[in-house]
Amino acid sequence: MTAEVLRLESVRKTFGAQVVLRDVDLAVPEHSVTALIGASGSGKSTLMRCVNLLEGIDDGAIFLDGEEITDPRADEDAVRRRIGVVFQSYNLFPHMTVLENVTLAPRRVHGVARAEAEARALELLDRLGLAAKAKEYPDRLSGGQQQRVAIVRALATGPRLLLLDEITAALDPVLVGEVLSVVRDLKEQGMTMVISTHEMGFAREVADRVCFLDDGVVLEQGPPEQVFGDPREERTRRFLSRVMASGRLQG
Amino acid sequence: MSPGVDGEPAADGAAGTDNIAVADAGLAKGTGAALAKGTVADDGYRPSERRLAHEAYRRGRARRSALIAAASTLATAVALYLLIVNSPGWEVTRRTFFNLDYARQALPEVLKGLRLNLELMLGCGVLIMVFGLLLAVLRTLRGPVFLPVRLLVTAYVDFFLGLPMIICLLVMITGVPALRLTGVTTDPLLLGGAALVLTYSAYVSEVFRSGIESVHPSQRAAARSLGLTNAQAMRYVVLPQAVRRVVPPLLNNLVSLQKDTGLVSIGGAIDAVYAAKIIASRSFNFTPYLLAGLVFIVLTVPLTRFADWLTARMNRRQFQGGAV
Ligand SMILES: Nc1ncnc2c1ncn2[C@@H]1O[C@H](COP(=O)(O)OP(=O)(O)OP(=O)(O)O)[C@@H](O)[C@H]1O
Ligand SMILES: [Mg+2]
């Protein structure tokens, strides 16, 4: 049994009267990939925002490397430094070049010297086929390129855990392939990741565990063969058949 | 699914395309220039008949627009001229306001005074930008510790936004010396400058604040996710974008500051307006006033045009970022 990077215990999160996460338990071992699936509005993004402390939780606890990060005494900035996030809508900084986007956190947060940060950034960009774009501004890049830059930006600080929130939702099928192959490589390198996705085929292929979020709880979780091949819960079955009907299981 | 729209911030609506004819002409020129300059790809492409026809049509339209604009401007000028020259009081007005002798006599004095206005504008301008930005940033501080700071800044801004400039000046120039505080200057020029800084900092802080608020919250969230502190997110992500967006309204404030430096003359500092007043009261002729006014206009026109140009340029780049 390898170490546990992330653990959620009975997490509850509400927005006013709306309960988004009711009682969520989740464990993410080191070097594993966990895929969150579930209908739109089931709380996948909210879960990730809670892990990254962009949202406070109402009850329960979240642990990063065994340390409770939802403890009010925890240093939020220090926690965020250990987690990389890629948002569905990229959120690149439009006033900075690709290189500046990538080196901002290493330089300002981790105190890496400029030359060193840039060398490392260029190496990462090169690995994702973006070296030629280092001096461009984000608005001159395609959606897939922007999303890959966002991934590089999240990786540049050497995070312990990577959260990828529907990173392909805004992309056309070709670009989806482009971005997903990057995720595959990361898995190869042993990066611990939590990804939320509507690409069931991809979840099936890349994930070690699949969690089905429904009505604020993790209704079903297990290896992808089991969740996709032989779902235990009726609601999982129904969700998957609906997705199947829209043709997204093949990925 | 939430659509990924935060890349496109709401247009700030500062566009000032006031002249359709000019805008038209500019557009046609744009497409023409791309052809002529050879910035297009070098792949043996020949523009089609259709493109040439379209461009010829656009050029024709642009010429027509320019002609109409010129004709209507001329007609308006002639009408105004006739109206003024034929008005019953024209002769008297001409003698008291448009006397070339007095103008020649007043010009050097007015220009000498104008130096003061320019110095005031530059000195105060720098201070105003710094204070305005500081006030705006202070106002965005969250957390209970900063409540008194926020309240104070809000009260300050509300107060000076409402206070007429002239009253602020009078209070500073006459009130402060009356207090006989030791170590505090009684120089009307410095006090007047201070009044300008007080008032304009409030205006400018509102401009900066609107800029800060126009930066989408997801930008701050992205910065915080990378581990940047609140202050770092402000410094490296929010402010650079905010400042870029408010450059045009800031320039407009600078233009109006340039004019308001003339008000400092009520304290007795000899600026362009006061220089004109001295000569006017000696000669009972108002030409020097008109001259001083013209000098100010000549100064502000380039600034205003620059602000327009910058606004148009920024609107052309639909995206707010980039190398501006
Ligand atoms: N800041 C907020 N304030 C109020 N309600 C919110 C907020 N953020 C999310 N919600 C609500 O929480 C619920 C879950 O949203 P969330 O974005 O986590 O869903 P999701 O599973 O990521 O959906 P999708 O697949 O469409 O991205 C939604 O009903 C949404 O309306
Ligand atoms: Mg989501």
Side-chain angles (χ1 to χ4, degrees):
Chain A
M1 178 80 196
T2 43
E4 221 170 53
V5 175
L6 178 72
R7 200 151 60 105
L8 277 69
E9 276 180 13
S10 331
V11 168
R12 178 182 174 83
K13 171 71 190 173
T14 57
F15 289 111
Q18 186 193 4
V19 184
V20 180
L21 305 177
R22 199 174 299 280
D23 187 13
V24 170
D25 288 296
L26 187 71
V28 179
E30 196 171 15
H31 308 309
S32 75
V33 176
T34 302
L36 297 176
I37 61 170
S40 201
S42 58
K44 305 181 292 295
S45 300
T46 305
L47 191 154
M48 298 212 182
R49 292 175 64 84
C50 289
V51 170
N52 198 33
L53 305 181
L54 287 172
E55 298 279 359
I57 59 174
D58 298 327
D59 202 352
I62 303 178
F63 299 86
L64 186 65
D65 283 322
E67 175 200 331
E68 188 188 344
I69 59 175
T70 41
D71 187 314
R73 281 157 297 195
D75 178 354
E76 294 189 6
D77 293 326
V79 169
R80 293 202 190 97
R81 260 174 249 156
R82 286 147 64 195
I83 303 178
V85 190
V86 181
F87 302 93
Q88 172 179 343
S89 45
Y90 329 136
N91 295 354
L92 294 176
F93 306 128
H95 61 297
M96 296 181 180
T97 62
V98 165
L99 194 60
E100 287 164 349
N101 263 280
V102 176
T103 54
L104 176 68
R107 289 180 60 201
R108 304 298 171 192
V109 180
H110 299 260
V112 180
R114 181 183 176 144
E116 196 188 328
E118 289 188 346
R120 179 158 163 65
L122 283 171
E123 188 191 312
L124 278 170
L125 287 169
D126 192 36
R127 215 184 314 149
L128 275 89
L130 288 164
K133 303 289 180 188
K135 294 272 187 279
E136 289 279 13
Y137 284 90
D139 58 336
R140 310 263 302 251
L141 303 182
S142 77
Q145 290 166 340
Q146 290 190 46
Q147 193 59 288
R148 280 183 289 157
V149 172
I151 294 174
V152 172
R153 186 174 71 175
L155 287 173
T157 54
R160 181 83 174 117
L161 170 70
L162 199 56
L163 306 175
L164 306 177
D165 187 8
E166 271 177 63
I167 54 170
T168 56
L171 305 177
D172 75 39
V174 176
L175 298 181
V176 167
E178 203 174 90
V179 170
L180 292 188
S181 81
V182 170
V183 178
R184 250 177 239 123
D185 290 348
L186 289 174
K187 179 188 160 80
E188 210 96 306
Q189 291 153 28
M191 176 60 81
T192 311
M193 291 184 277
V194 177
I195 58 184
S196 88
T197 184
H198 289 293
E199 304 286 332
M200 298 304 156
F202 177 68
R204 183 172 209 162
E205 174 207 325
V206 84
D208 301 300
R209 281 189 89 68
V210 177
C211 293
F212 175 57
L213 267 181
D214 184 64
D215 195 28
V217 296
V218 176
L219 192 65
E220 178 156 6
Q221 62 176 312
E225 308 80 53
Q226 184 253 304
V227 176
F228 289 119
D230 180 25
R232 268 194 292 270
E233 301 285 337
E234 176 54 30
R235 292 179 68 92
T236 317
R237 241 179 254 280
R238 242 186 297 148
F239 171 72
L240 289 175
S241 65
R242 252 193 303 139
V243 173
M244 197 105 85
S246 70
R248 285 184 95 158
L249 193 55
Q250 291 77 31
Chain B
M1 257 175 272
S2 58
V5 288
D6 44 75
E8 292 103 42
D12 56 7
T17 27
D18 46 351
N19 192 325
I20 309 265
V22 171
D24 245 21
L27 231 134
K29 212 166 54 198
T31 41
L35 250 186
K37 254 194 303 186
T39 48
V40 277
D42 184 24
D43 59 353
Y45 161 76
R46 299 238 148 275
S48 68
E49 285 302 316
R50 178 180 289 136
R51 176 171 179 176
L52 293 175
H54 285 182
E55 274 165 9
Y57 173 74
R58 281 198 205 100
R59 271 196 302 277
R61 285 290 299 245
R63 251 197 313 274
R64 222 188 83 183
S65 301
L67 270 178
I68 293 175
S72 94
T73 309
L74 189 70
T76 313
V78 167
L80 271 176
Y81 175 77
L82 289 178
L83 184 75
I84 292 170
V85 169
N86 291 322
S87 62
W90 169 241
E91 263 314 305
V92 184
T93 315
R94 198 177 61 93
R95 272 198 309 270
T96 45
F97 280 95
F98 299 93
N99 189 314
L100 267 186
D101 282 342
Y102 282 116
R104 223 170 281 132
Q105 186 189 335
L107 188 62
E109 301 296 319
V110 167
L111 286 181
K112 210 157 69 188
L114 193 68
R115 240 191 94 110
L116 200 70
N117 295 98
L118 285 177
E119 283 168 7
L120 259 178
M121 186 193 79
L122 288 179
C124 294
V126 171
L127 289 177
I128 288 164
M129 290 298 146
V130 173
F131 280 144
L133 187 59
L134 187 71
L135 289 172
V137 171
L138 287 178
R139 243 182 134 164
T140 64
L141 291 177
R142 290 285 158 257
V145 195
F146 298 114
L147 180 71
V149 178
R150 283 202 305 276
L151 284 180
L152 270 176
V153 173
T154 310
Y156 175 92
V157 172
D158 286 350
F159 184 82
F160 282 100
L161 279 185
L163 189 70
M165 183 77 239
I166 191 90
I167 293 181
C168 182
L169 271 167
L170 282 171
V171 168
M172 286 297 286
I173 290 171
T174 59
V176 171
L179 290 174
R180 292 173 201 278
L181 296 168
T182 44
V184 175
T185 181
T186 55
D187 182 343
L189 185 64
L190 290 181
L191 290 171
L196 288 175
V197 172
L198 285 174
T199 306
Y200 270 88
S201 299
Y203 298 159
V204 165
S205 87
E206 286 295 277
V207 173
F208 277 126
R209 192 164 70 107
S210 71
I212 289 171
E213 279 168 5
S214 77
V215 177
H216 197 278
S218 65
Q219 286 283 309
R220 192 189 295 251
R224 296 304 302 274
S225 310
L226 286 170
L228 274 74
T229 61
N230 226 336
Q232 286 176 319
M234 193 63 158
R235 156 94 175 70
Y236 296 111
V237 174
V238 178
L239 277 185
Q241 296 183 58
V243 169
R244 253 163 257 238
R245 286 179 205 179
V246 297
V247 164
L250 281 181
L251 280 176
N252 289 335
N253 270 291
L254 208 61
V255 168
S256 109
L257 171 70
Q258 191 165 356
K259 292 185 299 182
D260 279 353
T261 56
L263 290 174
V264 173
S265 67
I266 60 171
I270 303 187
D271 75 327
V273 178
Y274 200 67
K277 183 178 173 177
I278 292 172
I279 299 168
S281 54
R282 221 169 36 212
S283 60
F284 299 104
N285 185 290
F286 292 124
T287 310
Y289 279 133
L290 200 77
L291 183 77
L294 278 177
V295 168
F296 272 98
I297 294 172
V298 168
L299 267 183
T300 48
V301 165
L303 247 181
T304 333
R305 284 293 84 83
F306 179 63
D308 284 353
W309 176 81
L310 211 61
T311 313
R313 194 188 127 116
M314 286 179 154
N315 284 336
R316 250 199 319 273
R317 302 181 51 92
Q318 336 96 311
F319 215 103
Q320 309 280 350
V324 176

